[in-house]
Amino acid sequence: MAKSKQVYVCSNCGADSPRWMGKCPSCGEWNTLEEKTLLVKETKVSQMLVGDQGLVKLGNVDVTQNKKVTTTFSELDVALGGGLVDGQVVLVSGEPGIGKSTLLLQLAVNISQQGIKCLYVSGEESAQQVSGRAARIYPKGEYKELQFLLTSTVDKVFATVQDNDFDLVIFDSIQTISDDDVVGVPGGMAQVKAVAAKMVSLAKQSGFRLLIVGHINKDGDIAGPKVLEHLVDTVLRFEGERDGLYRVVRAVKNRFGGTGEVGILEMTGVGMRDVDLAQGVFAGGGEGEVGAVKTVAFEGNRPIVVQVQALVGRTVFPYPKRVAEGVPISRLQLICAILERYAKISLTEYDVYVRTAGGYSLESATSDLAVAAAIVSAFHQLPVGPDVLCVGELGLSGRLFLPNMYHDRLKSVSKYGIKRLVSVAGLSLKGVKLLPVGYVGEIVSALR
Ligand code: TYD
Ligand code: MG
């Protein structure tokens, strides 16, 4: 149902406000708000989704339709929990330049070669740009049939998708395609919500797989309203350093699979490709170093060995610096406080920098011990062998612990050349010597 609505739209930036104001609250310009009457089609959340199905017995529901189709990237399949199901809507988020468009273009090219009808919609890049990217990666014969649409309005996409029976649609990006029925700048709250709602409801009705690109803002959140994440089935987040080689794709929400899994991909001169985890791409070099300690990130069912690096140096600032990349800064501050109090390492006059190899994001507290050990190693100039792995969470009393669920998962680490394990007492791993640590003050003796 359409209804009319009075709004005041800024002629400078396009932001809208329900009241007239002398100064635009968005861009700060004076006297730019003009009154407009709009016909607004109300989209209710219930309309955005699958619609009504009536009363059914769950036992009679056919679940075989949920067959997963491979994305043709085994690492992406791992993150998605096997592939893409009919009607699945995936939001692919990440910083500009991280490789979202490249990966999705490759996915579309590879999938279309299997006879699956794909459409690549772009609101930000022309056919020349996108086909230039495809030409960089594939011989022309491999992508020539892929359908492409450049548009800035969602209704055009809607009509194109309805007229053609596509099985997979890439929507690049939610911030650059807008809905003419709704006021507001493209990429703004109202627009993102309306565009996503239209596309999601169409995907759910028609059963095509929809991959939506979403840029992220400075804080690492998906630009736009939180409702966007609720509307989609799956949210994939691209992590890693834009200038680095490796990209981690993490499922932060998934209605069709688990969320713990990550996929690792590599950006090459000719597109993205799967990375073999056994290569240990985040494990750092093979030499024993000062301030470099390995730990393991337990992502779903696969352990990923990650090197943590620390630099400790006398400060020249009034307050010593604490800089962390790949580890939350609050975690680093906490570990410094624990070391200070319980390991008698006075860091008050020292700057502490911590990073992870390849910018891998260590989210679990089981990497605390490795962070602490890297700082201890850097502070005492104590080299740590490349065959040493540190795993455990530090309590506020300086005590080390490791939840039982991780004991089993540690079994496969010997595959990565690990011969010594610094962790809680009582662990037993074949071919790996345990160097037990009960509390943070014992790290130095375990490393010596
Ligand atoms: P892009 O996919 O455009 O990123 P996003 O859509 O997330 O903004 O990636 C752009 C970067 O990737 C750019 O810096 C060029 C680089 N790149 C490669 O290194 N190899 C390639 O084969 C391609 C196509 C791009
Ligand atoms: Mg892009």
Side-chain angles (χ1 to χ4, degrees):
M1 265 264 289
K3 63 177 186 183
S4 68
K5 184 178 167 189
Q6 297 301 113
V7 286
Y8 296 87
V9 180
C10 171
S11 59
N12 183 48
C13 73
D16 58 281
S17 154
R19 282 182 315 270
W20 187 86
M21 277 180 265
K23 186 181 174 187
C24 170
S26 179
C27 67
E29 280 297 308
W30 289 92
N31 286 326
T32 51
L33 260 56
E34 292 163 7
E35 184 175 10
K36 286 208 169 122
T37 307
L38 284 157
L39 274 181
V40 183
K41 281 189 202 146
E42 279 283 291
T43 333
K44 296 205 181 84
V45 172
S46 58
Q47 290 166 349
M48 297 170 185
L49 301 171
V50 263
D52 290 348
Q53 260 186 340
L55 190 64
V56 288
K57 279 192 180 149
L58 282 182
N60 297 341
V61 177
D62 179 15
V63 286
T64 50
Q65 61 183 344
N66 275 351
K67 190 172 153 285
K68 293 190 175 172
V69 165
T70 175
T71 60
T72 70
F73 287 90
S74 61
E75 288 294 311
L76 200 55
D77 287 348
V78 168
L80 285 166
L84 294 164
V85 305
D86 288 348
Q88 183 168 359
V89 182
V90 182
L91 178 65
V92 180
S93 69
E95 272 180 53
I98 196 112
K100 302 179 293 296
S101 301
T102 305
L103 183 68
L104 294 184
L105 175 65
Q106 285 182 263
L107 189 152
V109 172
N110 296 349
I111 285 192
S112 62
Q113 283 174 14
Q114 300 175 356
I116 296 176
K117 270 186 89 179
C118 299
L119 171 69
Y120 193 110
V121 182
S122 180
E124 51 193 60
E125 288 175 305
S126 67
Q128 282 76 10
Q129 282 172 297
V130 175
S131 114
R133 181 177 294 137
R136 181 171 169 180
I137 308 171
Y138 297 97
K140 194 164 191 169
E142 295 190 13
Y143 64 87
K144 67 178 197 303
E145 294 300 327
L146 179 65
Q147 305 254 31
F148 177 83
L149 176 72
L150 171 70
T151 183
S152 56
T153 60
V154 69
D155 286 333
K156 178 85 185 154
V157 185
F158 209 82
T160 310
V161 174
Q162 277 186 325
D163 292 348
N164 301 269
D165 197 18
F166 288 109
D167 299 313
L168 186 127
V169 177
I170 313 264
F171 198 84
D172 189 0
S173 66
I174 189 82
Q175 279 92 8
T176 52
I177 298 174
S178 53
D179 185 345
D180 294 339
D181 294 336
V182 174
V183 270
V185 277
M189 292 279 204
Q191 283 291 353
V192 167
K193 187 175 150 194
V195 172
K198 271 195 179 167
M199 288 308 296
V200 171
S201 71
L202 185 61
K204 293 294 172 196
Q205 281 157 26
S206 317
F208 62 84
R209 297 164 180 84
L210 174 65
L211 295 149
I212 303 175
V213 172
H215 296 298
I216 59 173
N217 59 25
K218 292 194 292 296
D219 305 324
D221 295 326
I222 297 155
K226 215 53 191 160
V227 68
L228 184 57
E229 287 176 56
H230 298 304
L231 278 179
V232 300
D233 300 310
T234 306
V235 179
L236 291 183
R237 193 170 68 203
F238 259 92
E239 298 171 354
E241 294 161 333
R242 199 165 55 176
D243 306 324
L245 285 180
Y246 302 108
R247 306 285 189 271
V248 178
V249 178
R250 189 185 295 272
V252 286
K253 166 186 174 176
N254 197 359
R255 283 189 189 138
F256 298 110
T259 47
E261 300 286 356
V262 300
I264 315 247
L265 295 133
E266 179 183 4
M267 178 60 104
T268 70
V270 284
M272 293 265 217
R273 69 162 177 240
D274 288 316
V275 167
D276 178 6
L277 271 191
Q279 287 175 8
V281 293
F282 296 105
E287 303 290 312
E289 283 175 60
V290 163
V293 176
K294 285 176 183 164
T295 188
V296 58
F298 298 104
E299 309 285 9
N301 293 314
R302 308 189 304 171
I304 298 174
V305 177
V306 181
Q307 185 190 50
V308 180
Q309 302 159 3
L311 174 68
V312 178
R314 231 172 232 293
T315 189
V316 292
F317 304 102
Y319 293 99
K321 277 193 185 277
R322 303 284 179 255
V323 179
E325 273 173 50
V327 176
I329 183 75
S330 55
R331 210 75 214 165
L332 173 62
Q333 283 160 343
L334 183 69
I335 292 167
C336 287
I338 295 172
L339 284 170
E340 184 101 28
R341 182 73 176 81
Y342 294 107
K344 307 218 161 33
I345 293 180
S346 177
L347 294 166
T348 41
E349 284 169 21
Y350 290 86
D351 294 329
V352 180
Y353 300 88
V354 168
R355 65 183 298 275
T356 56
Y360 193 93
S361 183
L362 286 171
E363 306 209 326
S364 161
T366 54
S367 55
D368 283 357
L369 180 65
V371 176
I375 296 171
V376 168
S377 158
F379 185 83
H380 289 299
Q381 291 290 293
L382 205 68
V384 180
D387 61 335
V388 175
L389 187 82
C390 294
V391 187
E393 190 175 333
L394 288 174
L396 290 186
S397 60
R399 197 152 283 290
L400 186 76
F401 55 96
L402 184 68
N404 277 341
M405 60 190 275
Y406 295 118
H407 294 196
D408 240 18
R409 296 204 208 162
L410 276 170
K411 286 200 175 117
S412 53
V413 295
S414 56
K415 278 203 303 216
Y416 300 94
I418 300 301
K419 299 209 173 63
R420 291 176 286 168
L421 174 69
V422 183
S423 193
V424 293
L427 286 173
S428 132
L429 301 181
K430 218 170 127 210
V432 178
K433 183 173 183 229
L434 179 71
L435 306 170
V437 163
Y439 91 113
V440 70
E442 295 165 7
I443 293 176
V444 184
S445 51
L447 293 182
R448 274 197 210 281

